[in-house]
Amino acid sequence: MNILLLGSTGRVGSALLEKMLLDGHEVVTLARSPEKITFDHPHLHVVPGDVLDTEALEKAMTRLSVEAVVSALNTDKNNVLSRYTPALVQLMNHHHVKRYIAIGTAGILNSRQNPDIYRFQSNESKRKSTTAAEDHLAAYQFLQKSDLDWTLVCPTYLPDGEEIGEYRVEADVLPVDGKKISVQDTAAFTYKQLTEDKFIRKRVGIAY
């Protein structure tokens, strides 16, 4: 499969990149800091640039005949997720790419106690700042209006750790008493979504 991977230099992104290359996929990645990519692989195509630069994003999209886009981008104080998502959706529509899988946050899952609000708006969330969740939420709401086959993988606390392969997932909410999920297991579940359709147009909570 030809995949455009965004956020490949982050913790989840680098784990995803390794899995994709080991399985023989052709991977294009758009990177602000290409020197941080330590993989040297014939199936890896690195395009220098920023996701907020529409021309760079289109260059990455058209480097190969992309069949799916996977994003492990982190949010920042500049609302990068909500700012790049509209341009990405437009480009995916233009180039007839339907499948989009992204790492979200447990904050934008529904509250179990009050399904009418998001976790980050409830006492289920321990974070004092809602800035990151609000950026994720704006991107999610834009995806809802699109006709893409999207999936948002929404982990809670993300420590490093070995890939265990045993975890719980649930659509739209965090599994009961979910406290953490490793970077490696998050990447493994996200990677599986390239060949599964159970959670299309769904947010997925993941935790041990």
Side-chain angles (χ1 to χ4, degrees):
M1 183 181 292
N2 295 343
I3 304 165
L4 171 56
L5 175 62
L6 305 173
S8 61
T9 60
R11 293 190 303 153
V12 177
S14 59
L16 279 166
L17 179 60
E18 184 174 5
K19 287 181 176 297
M20 292 172 181
L21 293 176
L22 285 174
D23 273 359
H25 297 291
E26 294 281 342
V27 183
V28 181
T29 183
L30 179 64
R32 284 186 301 178
S33 304
E35 70 278 3
K36 292 183 180 180
I37 298 175
T38 56
F39 293 97
D40 182 13
H41 196 284
H43 291 176
L44 175 60
H45 311 268
V46 180
V47 176
D50 192 301
V51 293
L52 295 177
D53 180 345
T54 305
E55 289 186 8
L57 196 57
E58 181 159 29
K59 185 176 181 180
M61 184 77 71
T62 56
R63 181 68 177 266
L64 299 173
S65 181
V66 169
E67 299 166 80
V69 179
V70 179
S71 171
L73 286 169
N74 292 319
T75 184
D76 61 13
K77 294 180 180 179
N78 295 315
N79 295 319
V80 65
L81 301 180
S82 53
R83 291 171 62 198
Y84 101 91
T85 300
L88 178 72
V89 170
Q90 185 175 10
L91 282 173
M92 289 181 68
N93 285 334
H94 181 72
H95 294 288
H96 308 291
V97 183
K98 291 281 287 184
R99 192 69 172 112
Y100 178 61
I101 305 162
I103 304 297
T105 173
I108 64 167
L109 295 167
N110 294 343
S111 163
R112 278 191 173 274
Q113 298 175 2
N114 186 351
D116 292 331
I117 63 175
Y118 298 101
R119 285 189 80 252
F120 81 90
Q121 297 169 329
S122 75
N123 59 10
E124 295 169 37
S125 174
K126 306 304 180 185
R127 292 185 180 274
K128 294 180 180 179
S129 172
T130 62
T131 302
E134 288 169 356
D135 190 25
H136 277 283
L137 177 59
Y140 160 58
Q141 290 174 332
F142 194 89
L143 287 173
Q144 284 183 298
K145 298 173 185 176
S146 78
D147 60 358
L148 298 182
D149 291 336
W150 54 267
T151 299
L152 289 181
V153 179
C154 298
T156 181
Y157 171 54
L158 264 175
D160 288 317
E162 294 182 4
E163 183 179 325
I164 299 172
E166 295 181 4
Y167 44 77
R168 296 175 295 149
V169 297
E170 193 168 348
D172 300 322
V173 293
L174 190 66
V176 174
D177 294 328
K179 297 292 191 296
K180 66 179 181 178
I181 180 71
S182 75
V183 166
Q184 288 73 15
D185 275 325
T186 300
F189 176 75
T190 304
Y191 179 62
K192 282 174 59 179
Q193 302 317 298
L194 285 166
T195 54
E196 297 184 357
D197 59 8
K198 181 179 179 180
F199 295 110
I200 284 181
R201 298 188 66 82
K202 296 283 188 181
R203 295 161 296 162
V204 189
I206 178 171
Y208 291 129

